[in-house]
Amino acid sequence: VIVYPLESILVKPGDSLLRVFSKTLARNRVRLRSKDIVAVSSKIVGISEKRIRDIHRIKTTREAIGLARRFSLTLPFAQAVLDESDMVIGGVRGALLTIKDGYAVANAGIDRKNAPLNSLVLWPHDPDLSAKTLRDQIRKEFGKQVGVVIVDSRVTPLRLGTTGLAIGAAGFRAVEDIRGNVDLHGREVRITFRAVADALAATAQLVMGESSERKPFAIIREAPVSMESDSGVREAKLAWNRCLYMSQIMPPGHDQSQHN
Amino acid sequence: VIVYPLESILVKPGDSLLRVFSKTLARNRVRLRSKDIVAVSSKIVGISEKRIRDIHRIKTTREAIGLARRFSLTLPFAQAVLDESDMVIGGVRGALLTIKDGYAVANAGIDRKNAPLNSLVLWPHDPDLSAKTLRDQIRKEFGKQVGVVIVDSRVTPLRLGTTGLAIGAAGFRAVEDIRGNVDLHGREVRITFRAVADALAATAQLVMGESSERKPFAIIREAPVSMESDSGVREAKLAWNRCLYMSQIMPPGHDQSQHN
């Protein structure tokens, strides 16, 4: 497997993602091949789709004021997270634990880093669709069948630091079901799935950088993935009661006596 | 960044990890370079250190019987997890959420896959030390300054499938503190750390395979890491009350009224 980080130009709201990617490829003198995985940061997908909020135009509610105070957040940020979340579960100093599109992530995926001045960048409306759109555009423009993964940062229980999380994917099987396989001793492997999209996202994030590096794209070549046109990160969703971590947390307003 | 999966011979209890690794390198015709990261699966580190339990020799307790029934586990497995855990927090069908060496992981890191017949393989006693030992042995044997990361599988909140988690590391900075950096717009990045060891583990797991593939080693070349002799995964530990997920879960016996 070879991973190429790609330096890019600064992306502005409304810019065509395909156009930015094409320029980036040319600038880095990388030629696409079929079966390449194109990793792209959720930040520039959000910016290109104008998923941006001006912090001076956010109307705040009483609930946001409470969250901002309790978890040491700015009020516009707390409000934006509240607006974007399916559910706010709780928080720690500086961050809220939210459910967003069925995933358990910090701050509904909203990040203050690398956003245009006085603004917040949100996740794309439908990240799997954004990935599919870029994949289809790349096929038309370059004649190559690639996979696309949209990468955000995530935190891990009881661990310091972020790694990559796939929030959207297209063109390859996002989750591999290896239940039918046998292990080294010939026994059937019963409950294992591989989170391929997340592993690709973590690999991409290793080279993309988190702060000032202008590397919002990476190409992952010769990865052991199954190319498949109709797949997405949506397949990686796990029910609350089957999740090792979240099954231990009561959703707000949930009656604990009904849970076990 | 280039990632080489390495096919290996089957490792037997007590085998020297350095010897297995040396043979594996020769067999795969890969030459080590300084600054390479050597990834190795926790499974074969455990086997080489004889961290193995015979399931017929596990004495079971009443507590294990309760856990086995409640979460559909075999009794020896439930007992082994209980014995290895710092704390059992709860579980879902087929898995327990445990604290092990300060990390929040499934089944205290015990895996039934690819273990010798009728046995369970445990984590090394001190994974950072195991990583350091292998790193020092490689330096003596090959004259190269490498990093070592010990890789296990982990699950992610509300996601199906496993990715790689670093349980031990040596020779490179496991967590990068990028708080002093500035973002693309010149603003200071305040709260971000990068979980470098975990990102390397996820990258390695992408190529190592989860079931019958005999690839317990991978070499990660030209990764953007800081080589440092005195670092380990221990630096990635996060306090319970600072963790976005675990701060929402009461440890067993904890009085909720004291928590907030």
Side-chain angles (χ1 to χ4, degrees), chain A residues 1-5 10 70-71 74 89-99 102-107 112-119 154-167 175 178 181-185 187 189-200 202-214 220 222-225 233 235-250 256 260, chain B residues 1-5 10 70-71 74 89-99 102-107 112-119 154-167 175 178 181-185 187 189-200 202-214 220 222-225 233 235-250 256 260:
Chain A
V1 178
I2 310 170
V3 190
Y4 303 95
L10 200 59
R70 186 162 170 216
F71 298 112
T74 67
I89 294 169
V92 294
R93 189 180 160 81
L96 298 175
L97 176 59
T98 61
I99 304 295
Y103 311 122
V105 296
N107 302 327
R112 290 150 286 192
K113 285 192 308 296
N114 297 322
L117 199 64
N118 291 323
S119 66
R154 52 78 73 84
V155 291
T156 298
L158 295 189
R159 305 284 278 212
L160 185 65
T162 61
T163 53
L165 179 78
I167 68 163
V175 182
I178 58 169
N181 295 11
V182 290
D183 76 2
L184 279 174
H185 301 274
R187 287 165 305 201
V189 174
R190 289 195 302 171
I191 56 159
T192 301
F193 293 79
R194 290 185 67 209
V196 176
D198 284 338
L200 292 167
T203 299
Q205 202 248 21
L206 181 66
V207 301
M208 287 160 92
E210 257 274 1
S211 59
S212 65
E213 298 111 306
R214 293 186 180 191
I220 304 171
E222 293 171 24
V225 302
V233 168
E235 289 160 27
K237 280 181 195 172
L238 188 66
W240 194 293
N241 66 350
R242 289 180 59 206
C243 171
L244 201 55
Y245 302 97
M246 300 307 285
S247 62
Q248 311 304 313
I249 302 176
M250 298 305 114
Q256 176 146 13
N260 288 308
Chain B
V1 179
I2 310 170
V3 190
Y4 303 95
L10 199 59
R70 186 163 170 216
F71 299 111
T74 68
I89 294 169
V92 295
R93 191 180 158 82
L96 298 174
L97 176 59
T98 61
I99 303 297
Y103 311 123
V105 296
N107 302 327
R112 290 151 286 194
K113 285 193 307 297
N114 297 323
L117 197 65
N118 292 323
S119 64
R154 52 78 73 84
V155 291
T156 298
L158 294 188
R159 306 282 281 209
L160 186 63
T162 60
T163 53
L165 179 77
I167 67 164
V175 181
I178 59 168
N181 294 13
V182 292
D183 75 3
L184 279 173
H185 301 274
R187 289 167 304 201
V189 174
R190 287 194 304 170
I191 56 159
T192 301
F193 293 80
R194 291 184 68 209
V196 176
D198 284 338
L200 292 166
T203 300
Q205 202 248 22
L206 180 66
V207 301
M208 287 161 91
E210 256 274 2
S211 59
S212 66
E213 299 112 306
R214 293 185 181 192
I220 305 172
E222 291 172 26
V225 301
V233 168
E235 288 160 26
K237 280 181 196 172
L238 188 66
W240 194 294
N241 65 349
R242 289 180 59 205
C243 171
L244 201 54
Y245 302 97
M246 300 308 285
S247 63
Q248 311 304 312
I249 301 176
M250 296 306 115
Q256 178 147 11
N260 289 308

Side-chain angles (χ1 to χ4, degrees), chain B residues 9-83:
Chain B
I9 51 175
L10 199 59
V11 179
K12 294 185 298 297
D15 280 355
S16 151
L17 202 55
L18 177 70
R19 196 132 177 259
V20 172
F21 177 65
S22 301
K23 281 189 189 174
T24 299
L25 273 185
R27 184 180 174 152
N28 288 270
R29 295 181 193 179
V30 173
R31 282 197 169 192
L32 273 187
R33 294 187 198 162
S34 282
K35 290 201 76 180
D36 279 353
I37 302 294
V38 175
V40 48
S41 91
S42 61
K43 185 68 60 68
I44 70 161
V45 181
I47 292 174
S48 82
E49 294 183 7
K50 298 189 183 172
R51 292 277 293 152
I52 296 173
R53 291 193 75 178
D54 179 339
I55 60 168
H56 298 307
R57 290 170 152 230
I58 293 174
K59 283 185 193 165
T60 53
T61 60
R62 188 178 289 271
E63 195 179 354
I65 294 170
L67 289 171
R69 273 198 200 135
R70 186 163 170 216
F71 299 111
S72 305
L73 305 164
T74 68
L75 187 48
F77 184 74
Q79 184 67 52
V81 172
L82 201 54
D83 294 344

Side-chain angles (χ1 to χ4, degrees), chain B residues 94-189:
Chain B
L96 298 174
L97 176 59
T98 61
I99 303 297
K100 165 71 179 169
D101 296 351
Y103 311 123
V105 296
N107 302 327
I110 304 178
D111 201 347
R112 290 151 286 194
K113 285 193 307 297
N114 297 323
L117 197 65
N118 292 323
S119 64
L120 300 169
V121 180
L122 316 179
W123 277 4
H125 263 302
D126 180 344
D128 275 339
L129 181 61
S130 302
K132 186 176 182 308
T133 301
L134 182 59
R135 170 183 167 273
D136 292 347
Q137 291 174 332
I138 288 173
R139 195 178 48 198
K140 270 192 199 153
E141 179 92 5
F142 297 94
K144 305 292 177 190
Q145 297 272 6
V146 302
V148 171
V149 59
I150 299 178
V151 180
D152 198 6
S153 289
R154 52 78 73 84
V155 291
T156 298
L158 294 188
R159 306 282 281 209
L160 186 63
T162 60
T163 53
L165 179 77
I167 67 164
F172 66 95
R173 209 174 291 156
V175 181
E176 293 271 0
D177 181 346
I178 59 168
R179 284 176 299 180
N181 294 13
V182 292
D183 75 3
L184 279 173
H185 301 274
R187 289 167 304 201
E188 202 183 336
V189 174

